[in-house]
Amino acid sequence: MLVVETTALLVLFIQLTLSEQENLDLTVLEKKQALELQALKPEVEKLRADIAALTTSRLPNLTKLEFDKVIPLDLGYVKNIVFTVAGKNSDKHYEYKIVMHNTDLTLIHPEVDVLFFDRVGVQVGVSKIGFHQDGTPNLDMLERGEVRSFSSMVDLTGDADPEYFRVKIHK
């Protein structure tokens, strides 16, 4: 019985020693990777800033897409816009709410395109306000002094995530 207990203790001691060595190796590897990550972070941020600068210089009318934040626009009757990500990781989609205010003395038929671009400035989607799906104008009108919001889901082409947007008012 003593021999069995001694053997069991010896086996447990060897396993514990091997586990401690493996834990030490993993800790050293983790610290090494954390240091490499810290060293690469400034370079990644610089590259991101360079890409953003190149994109905005090539297409100067683009605005960075920020989620769950009111982005003031003040483009004619378009006052502001808010973007939201909804859904799950595999089925996420983008939505927005745009606020319009008619300060003119006449009725306005809002005709607005919200264009979406990826990180390099390639257009990946568009959403139209004031038109039906088939492209015909709808009858939504903004009366004198009226403030109204319009909401829509964004149809994107491909897998690209939008990073910039542009609001274009017709007329």
Side-chain angles (χ1 to χ4, degrees):
M1 185 73 152
L2 184 60
V3 172
V4 171
E5 286 181 7
T6 304
T7 306
L9 283 174
L10 183 60
V11 169
L12 288 174
F13 177 75
I14 291 171
Q15 286 180 342
L16 181 62
T17 303
L18 291 174
S19 294
E20 285 180 17
Q21 183 60 40
E22 184 180 345
N23 188 26
L24 180 63
D25 291 344
L26 289 174
T27 302
V28 168
L29 181 62
E30 178 189 14
K31 287 185 180 184
K32 182 179 177 183
Q33 288 177 341
L35 289 173
E36 288 176 7
L37 181 62
Q38 284 299 98
L40 291 174
K41 275 186 179 180
E43 188 175 335
V44 168
E45 291 303 318
K46 182 186 179 311
L47 290 173
R48 283 184 180 159
D50 289 348
I51 289 172
L54 288 171
T55 302
T56 55
S57 68
R58 194 172 75 193
L59 299 165
N61 296 329
L62 298 186
T63 304
K64 182 76 174 150
L65 189 66
E66 298 179 74
F67 297 104
D68 302 321
K69 177 184 174 191
V70 176
I71 301 170
L73 297 173
D74 293 322
L75 298 170
Y77 52 85
V78 178
K79 295 304 166 194
N80 61 55
I81 193 165
V82 176
F83 296 98
T84 304
V85 179
K88 296 180 181 178
N89 285 341
S90 61
D91 188 32
K92 75 178 177 182
H93 59 275
Y94 301 90
E95 300 173 350
Y96 68 92
K97 181 176 98 173
I98 192 166
V99 176
M100 299 182 193
H101 179 204
N102 181 2
T103 57
D104 287 348
L105 298 176
T106 61
L107 291 174
I108 293 177
H109 177 251
E111 295 179 7
V112 178
D113 291 344
V114 183
L115 306 158
F116 298 90
F117 301 86
D118 67 6
R119 68 181 175 96
V120 294
V122 175
Q123 184 177 335
V124 294
V126 64
S127 180
K128 294 182 176 286
I129 296 173
F131 300 93
H132 294 289
Q133 293 287 354
D134 63 1
T136 59
N138 61 26
L139 299 178
D140 286 339
M141 300 297 270
L142 283 173
E143 294 182 19
R144 179 178 157 194
E146 182 181 7
V147 176
R148 189 184 322 163
S149 66
F150 295 84
S151 299
S152 184
M153 209 164 76
V154 179
D155 291 325
L156 297 174
T157 57
D159 308 359
D161 290 330
E163 289 196 26
Y164 298 95
F165 75 96
R166 178 177 177 225
V167 174
K168 180 180 174 188
I169 299 173
H170 297 274
K171 291 184 186 179

